[in-house]
Amino acid sequence: MRVAAASLELVELEGARRGLVLSISDEDGRVGVGEATPLPGFSPESADDDQRALAELPGALGPIDLPGGAPGAAPAATVLAIQRALAPLSSRLRGAPAARFALETALLDLLGQRLGVPVSACLGGHRRYEEVQVNGLLTTSSALPEMLDRARALAVRGVGTIKVKLRSRGQEGFARDLEALRALRREHPAVELRLDANAAWSLDEAPRRLGLLAPLRPRFVEQPVAPELLHHLGACEVPWAADESLAVEGMPERLLDAEGCAAFILKPAILGLLRAHELGCRAQARGLGTVVTHLFDGPIALAAACELALSLPRAPLACGLDAHAGLEAWPAIRVPQLHEGGLIAASDRPGLGVGRWRA
């Protein structure tokens, strides 16, 4: 397969955020799409960085040799073909994971269309499970009545897992968060509760705070301490999960065997699509849970993250892939993997399934 043409379109979003939609076409006229929407303050790069990284693509990509055999066979060969094609761009894409995510998505979209299979099959082969649950998202920065109202709305939709971001800081802030979580647990005793500390705790205070959270029975707490310190945390009264640490060079390998680590939180917009899939497979092989989540991206990146969730060897835990308010700033594109009742399921369309980009 040869990439004959490429185009890049800028989408102005709320505030200072901007998205980029990449469209690439092959010699037969098929079009694959990808998206780079770095999140200021979280992504290591800006939209300008991604735009520079994705410039002049057709002449920079290496050849893309399709795997032989039946459609959907040999996903490892499909991934290898994309890795070889991207090799000439390695220096340009270094430090721009959202650009890599966009390019990998667009190439997998094209290959899926040529092979007649969804992106999840290109990544992971034959489908092993039919659907994945999504988790709801709450934050302690909301007033308690508002937080509880949102939890009730999630329950009505059939969402059985709630993630709560712990936004308060300091000892008094943590005490307020603890009271809010106790109220949430009293009202929803059966919900699976997950918490996210956003790397805000010190290595000394994290074990004590995890002990105070233990009576609430959270499945785990995401990223309790700074990314480069997480492997030092060890076993605590509440298990913990790795998020931002996975982007630190060499850290995933340490965390695969770290005592106390319960799950890897996979953000393809930060890790790249192929790297996120690789880490998800390795984590599951070690018995760790996996969660795929968006970075409040647009619809194309969200569809790609859903395909990632459907491509792993085992079904991931409920994923952070629910529709979000930021999608309203984008041109209306249906994400075919998202279904009613908080479910992700295959679209049964080849490639990414979203069709051509039309601004």
Side-chain angles (χ1 to χ4, degrees):
M1 183 183 80
R2 181 177 61 87
V3 174
S7 64
L8 200 59
E9 184 168 342
L10 183 66
V11 182
E12 297 288 349
L13 304 172
E14 294 181 358
R17 198 174 190 192
R18 293 178 295 162
L20 294 164
V21 175
L22 172 67
S23 300
I24 60 175
S25 57
D26 65 10
E27 64 271 30
D28 297 322
R30 298 182 183 87
V31 178
V33 293
E35 178 199 323
T37 308
L39 183 60
F42 289 88
S43 299
E45 85 273 39
S46 67
D48 288 339
D49 295 329
D50 288 329
Q51 192 166 14
R52 285 190 290 270
L54 294 171
E56 302 176 1
L57 278 177
L61 279 171
I64 305 168
D65 299 319
L66 286 172
T78 304
V79 170
L80 182 60
I82 292 177
Q83 290 172 332
R84 287 173 174 168
L86 293 178
L89 290 170
S90 58
S91 60
R92 185 187 297 183
L93 294 172
R94 188 175 296 115
R100 177 176 286 277
F101 178 32
L103 186 48
E104 291 170 343
T105 299
L107 289 171
L108 282 164
D109 188 13
L110 266 186
L111 287 174
Q113 291 177 51
R114 290 180 70 103
L115 294 170
V117 298
V119 164
S120 57
C122 292
L123 280 170
H126 179 70
R127 189 184 310 151
R128 299 168 177 83
Y129 45 91
E130 295 300 320
E131 60 190 31
V132 174
Q133 302 281 332
V134 302
N135 65 258
L137 180 63
L138 303 177
T139 173
T140 57
S141 60
S142 302
L144 181 57
E146 180 184 352
M147 191 176 92
L148 294 178
D149 283 345
R150 290 181 178 177
R152 295 181 196 112
L154 290 169
V156 168
R157 286 180 54 204
V159 176
T161 301
I162 293 178
K163 171 181 170 177
V164 183
K165 284 186 170 287
L166 307 180
R167 295 294 196 189
S168 303
R169 296 294 177 258
Q171 295 297 336
E172 291 185 3
F174 180 75
R176 288 194 300 272
D177 285 355
L178 197 55
E179 287 304 312
L181 293 171
R182 287 168 177 159
L184 177 64
R185 177 54 87 196
R186 284 194 297 269
E187 189 163 317
H188 300 277
V191 74
E192 179 176 299
L193 187 62
R194 301 182 196 157
L195 308 175
D196 187 356
N198 286 117
W201 303 344
S202 72
L203 199 57
D204 289 334
E205 70 187 352
R208 184 184 65 83
R209 291 189 174 186
L210 289 168
L212 291 171
L213 292 167
L216 299 171
R217 310 185 313 280
R219 180 154 192 160
F220 50 70
V221 174
E222 294 180 26
Q223 202 65 46
V225 301
E228 65 276 8
L229 298 176
L230 188 58
H231 64 300
H232 293 303
L233 184 54
C236 299
E237 290 188 60
V238 172
W240 44 267
D243 185 352
E244 289 89 346
S245 293
L246 298 180
V248 178
E249 186 174 358
M251 191 61 70
E253 288 70 25
R254 295 187 183 100
L255 293 170
L256 284 169
D257 293 317
E259 191 176 5
C261 184
F264 275 14
I265 312 300
L266 307 170
K267 288 190 174 83
I270 294 292
L271 300 169
L273 188 55
L274 299 187
R275 176 63 169 164
H277 182 263
E278 175 201 353
L279 289 179
C281 292
R282 293 174 67 185
Q284 290 191 347
R286 297 294 182 91
L288 300 181
T290 50
V291 176
V292 179
T293 182
H294 56 59
L295 202 63
F296 301 99
D297 315 284
I300 295 171
L302 179 54
C306 289
E307 289 292 320
L308 171 62
L310 292 163
S311 73
L312 295 171
R314 300 196 310 274
L317 305 174
C319 289
L321 297 174
D322 205 3
H324 57 89
L327 292 171
E328 296 176 2
W330 288 80
I333 293 180
R334 179 174 172 267
V335 179
Q337 295 83 0
L338 291 182
H339 295 258
E340 294 294 328
L343 290 176
I344 298 165
S347 70
D348 291 323
R349 301 179 186 179
L352 198 59
V354 299
R356 297 195 179 194
W357 166 254
R358 297 179 179 86

